[in-house]
């Protein structure tokens, strides 16, 4: 979220602070071949679905709105308007400018708690960064101060219960704390030394709930800790929680100091972040190319479409430095594609299940789902089957086993068999079958604003439709309960 950046600082970072990488194993994500429709069991009901190119918002992805205030003063009217404008991600800072030398007072922590409550009531999730300064000019930049290592660690310990209580509305954490704007450079307390930054990384991993990722600013730092990013299976098994945010995406050959000025080293760093995007989330913002002498910004549709897909872009600032980037994407005719393909984009291809089932028994539903987005889903989320009585409208929500939407990889079709236990008290009769992807957290699981909308077209003739009140998609099939 750097509003003012300075070329000499960026060049110093590229030349000295960011060390060359010695990559030993990297690569791009492997895309599965399109899956065949699931085999139909005897006496099965089957359905196929059409996808839609329509642009619609979804949780934890897309263009984000940057809050005009810190989390401690998050404004409900602003958040309500942001939701109405289609934003589901809000970038917000925790401003610790007044607490570099003291503990965080209880009143301040209560204001932060209230800020999280505002996000929850508004239907949005947050990208959170904690900072000790936010310079608005060169003088402020040179005077920017952070806090000593001991203070950073003690305040993270204070923030830990707050983060755990509000994990439901935290989409991603940006590491913050260090240097100007919390961007992990120009520390006034030597926090960017390898030992100090590693201690802060470890303190962040302890303070942030284990269900949430932490994004760091510079690839060489991440490479020092994790030289070989895991694949998706290993990342899920080991609960890998590290991502990358690039605050000058596409702005110059080096992304204004994000990558090395040496072409060979830069290629290695980019290969590393390419691999990292399979395991952890990537997002950020564009910035002013003039901050890097001789910059050649990558402003065409071909650039954002290629690099968005390559690096698994999940989110991007919608408000900063639009002139060269966002405006050009609109003129070039690709803005709708950019908006709709950031992050995951799930659409059903086909479904099959038995015509009848017994209450108290089991039901298997085979689905093929396509992720046409640029990234996978990074935060856990259940799959629900909803059985709806077409006469009374009564619904029963049943969590399905056997599927993890975080494994639905970009550019691939995935075949799953959902396994559902039918309640013993489920009355006999015909039920419509719906599919839902609600939030995993019980505090907002029933709130349809936090459910994922599938990228399927409504088809009234087939009974296939999205219902915003249910946060679910009607499969157009029925199940007879006996």
């Amino acid at each position: 979220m750097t509003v003012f950046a300075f070329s000499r600082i960026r060049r110093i970072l590229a030349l000295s602070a960011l060390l060359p990488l010695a990559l030993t194993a990297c690569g791009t994500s492997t895309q599965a071949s399109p899956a065949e429709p699931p085999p139909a069991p005897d006496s099965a009901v089957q359905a196929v679905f059409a996808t839609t190119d329509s642009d619609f918002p979804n949780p934890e992805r897309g263009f984000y709105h940057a809050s005009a205030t810190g989390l401690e003063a998050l404004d409900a009217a602003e958040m309500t308007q942001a939701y109405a404008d289609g934003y589901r991600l809000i970038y917000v800072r925790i401003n610790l400018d007044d607490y570099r030398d003291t503990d965080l007072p209880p009143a301040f922590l209560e204001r932060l708690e209230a800020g999280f409550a505002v996000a929850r009531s508004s239907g949005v999730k947050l990208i959170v960064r904690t900072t000790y300064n936010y310079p608005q000019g060169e003088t402020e930049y040179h005077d920017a101060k952070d806090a000593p290592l001991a203070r950073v660690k003690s305040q993270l310990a204070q923030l830990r219960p707050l983060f755990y209580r509000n994990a439901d509305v935290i989409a991603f954490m940006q590491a913050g704390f260090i240097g100007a704007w919390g961007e992990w450079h120009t520390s006034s307390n030597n926090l960017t030394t390898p030992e100090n930054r590693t201690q802060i990384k470890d303190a962040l991993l302890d303070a942030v709930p284990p269900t949430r990722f932490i994004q760091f600013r510079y690839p060489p730092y991440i490479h020092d800790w994790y030289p070989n990013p895991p694949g998706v299976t290993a990342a899920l098994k080991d609960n890998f929680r590290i991502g990358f945010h690039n605050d000058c995406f596409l702005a110059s050959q080096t992304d204004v100091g994000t990558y090395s000025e040496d072409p060979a080293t830069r290629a290695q760093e980019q290969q590393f972040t390419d691999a990292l995007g399979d395991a952890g989330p990537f997002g950020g913002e564009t910035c002013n190319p003039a901050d890097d002498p001789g910059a050649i910004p990558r402003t065409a549709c071909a650039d954002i479409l290629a690099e968005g897909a390559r690096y698994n872009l999940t989110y991007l600032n919608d408000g900063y430095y639009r002139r060269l980037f966002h405006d050009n994407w609109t003129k070039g005719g690709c803005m709708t594609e950019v908006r709709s393909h950031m992050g995951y984009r799930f659409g059903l291809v086909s479904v099959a299940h038995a015509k009848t089932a017994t209450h108290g028994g089991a039901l298997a539903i085979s689905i093929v789902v396509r992720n046409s987005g640029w990234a996978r889903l990074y935060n856990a989320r259940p799959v629900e089957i909803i059985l709806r009585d077409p006469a009374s409208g009564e619904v029963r929500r049943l969590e399905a086993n056997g599927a993890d939407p975080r494994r639905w990889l970009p550019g691939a079709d995935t075949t799953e068999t959902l396994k559902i236990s039918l309640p013993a008290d489920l009355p006999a009769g015909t039920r419509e079958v719906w599919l839902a992807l609600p939030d995993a957290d019980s505090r907002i699981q029933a709130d349809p604003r936090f459910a994922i909308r599938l990228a399927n077209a409504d088809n009234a003739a087939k009974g296939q439709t999205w219902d915003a009140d249910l946060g679910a998609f009607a499969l157009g099939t029925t199940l007879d309960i006996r």
Side-chain angles (χ1 to χ4, degrees):
M1 285 295 297
T2 304
V3 177
F4 294 88
F6 306 96
S7 61
R8 61 181 176 277
I9 295 297
R10 298 289 189 181
R11 290 172 65 82
I12 289 170
L13 290 173
L15 291 170
S16 60
L18 306 185
L19 303 177
L21 300 181
L23 297 180
T24 56
C26 294
T28 57
S29 59
T30 301
Q31 295 183 352
S33 301
E36 295 295 326
D42 293 340
S43 303
V45 175
Q46 300 182 71
V48 294
F49 307 91
T51 57
T52 176
D53 293 328
S54 297
D55 175 29
F56 48 80
N58 253 327
E60 301 174 355
R61 57 155 299 279
F63 280 110
Y64 71 79
H65 169 77
S67 170
T69 70
L71 178 62
E72 65 278 3
L74 199 63
D75 181 68
E78 182 190 1
M79 295 301 98
T80 299
Q81 186 60 54
Y83 182 91
D85 291 339
Y87 297 102
R88 298 297 180 266
L89 276 176
I90 306 296
Y91 172 91
V92 65
R93 305 187 308 275
I94 295 177
N95 298 312
L96 301 186
D97 308 48
D98 297 332
Y99 306 111
R100 298 186 189 99
D101 303 312
T102 65
D103 289 340
L104 304 180
F108 180 77
L109 294 172
E110 289 172 5
R111 292 198 298 273
L112 294 178
E113 191 87 56
F116 281 120
V118 166
R120 188 176 296 109
S121 65
S122 302
V124 298
K125 292 201 176 191
L126 306 177
I127 304 164
V128 182
R129 186 193 297 185
T130 303
T131 67
Y132 291 108
N133 57 73
Y134 224 73
Q136 297 298 311
E138 188 161 359
T139 299
E140 290 185 20
Y141 175 83
H142 284 296
D143 292 339
K145 306 294 183 184
D146 51 24
L149 177 62
R151 179 65 58 195
V152 173
K153 294 170 70 173
S154 68
Q155 289 179 345
L156 273 168
Q158 285 188 277
L159 291 167
R160 186 179 190 272
L162 180 80
F163 292 157
Y164 270 68
R165 285 194 301 271
N166 295 284
D168 59 324
V169 288
I170 297 173
F172 310 108
M173 297 289 297
Q174 292 186 354
F177 286 98
I178 297 178
W181 304 289
E183 285 196 348
W184 283 57
H185 58 73
T186 59
S187 171
S188 64
N189 284 276
N190 296 317
L191 299 181
T192 55
T193 66
E195 180 181 356
N196 288 345
R197 67 180 184 246
T198 297
Q199 288 194 49
I200 292 175
K201 182 264 293 184
D202 291 342
L204 280 161
L205 285 170
D206 179 70
V208 174
T211 57
R212 291 298 179 261
F213 281 83
I214 304 166
Q215 296 174 291
F216 294 85
R217 178 69 181 91
Y218 290 112
Y221 296 172
I222 304 172
H223 179 270
D224 284 349
W225 302 319
Y226 308 98
N228 301 306
V232 173
T233 297
L236 294 176
K237 177 178 179 294
D238 299 331
N239 196 28
F240 183 78
R241 298 166 53 206
I242 302 297
F244 165 53
H245 69 95
N246 183 346
D247 287 355
C248 279
F249 185 46
L250 304 171
S252 74
Q253 297 93 316
T254 68
D255 286 354
V256 192
T258 300
Y259 296 109
S260 173
E261 291 191 2
D262 176 72
T265 302
R266 182 166 66 246
Q268 291 179 326
E269 292 171 347
Q270 291 168 336
Q271 187 180 9
F272 174 77
T273 54
D274 180 355
L276 182 65
D278 297 338
F282 166 60
E285 66 180 14
T286 58
C287 78
N288 188 349
D291 294 328
D292 195 352
I296 303 174
R298 305 182 301 283
T299 63
C301 277
D303 298 316
I304 180 61
L305 296 179
E307 296 194 40
R310 177 185 180 185
Y311 297 112
N312 308 106
L313 181 65
T314 286
Y315 67 79
L316 198 66
N317 190 345
D318 201 25
Y320 183 50
Y321 220 75
R322 297 183 57 91
R323 179 171 60 85
L324 275 181
F325 299 98
H326 306 64
D327 292 352
N328 272 344
W329 303 335
T330 299
K331 292 175 185 176
C334 66
M335 180 54 93
T336 297
E337 186 173 355
V338 172
R339 286 188 177 279
S340 62
H341 284 77
M342 267 190 280
Y344 61 85
R345 186 176 176 88
F346 299 145
L348 289 171
V349 177
S350 59
V351 64
H353 60 80
K355 291 181 180 179
T356 62
T358 304
H359 60 122
L363 174 68
I365 299 182
S366 297
I367 65 170
V368 176
V369 62
R370 176 172 299 154
N371 183 356
S372 57
W374 288 338
R376 71 179 183 93
L377 179 72
Y378 295 98
N379 295 333
R381 187 169 285 259
V383 180
E384 276 187 353
I385 292 298
I386 297 177
L387 300 181
R388 182 180 181 274
D389 187 322
S392 67
E394 178 191 6
V395 300
R396 297 291 290 270
R397 292 180 175 269
L398 309 174
E399 185 167 340
N401 296 315
D404 185 344
R406 293 175 296 176
R407 296 181 181 272
W408 299 349
L409 302 184
D413 288 1
T414 302
T415 300
E416 302 275 29
T417 299
L418 309 179
K419 300 174 183 178
I420 301 99
S421 297
L422 299 175
D425 64 348
L426 188 64
T430 299
R431 298 291 185 276
E432 299 168 348
V433 183
W434 297 62
L435 188 141
L437 297 170
D439 198 88
D441 197 291
S442 60
R443 288 165 290 187
I444 56 175
Q445 193 168 65
D447 189 334
R449 296 175 300 174
F450 292 99
I452 289 176
R453 178 173 176 174
L454 295 172
N456 289 107
D458 289 353
N459 187 324
K462 291 184 176 182
Q464 297 171 353
T465 185
W466 169 256
D467 188 309
D469 293 328
L470 279 180
F473 186 76
L475 304 182
T477 64
T478 58
L479 178 70
D480 291 332
I481 304 297
R482 298 178 179 176

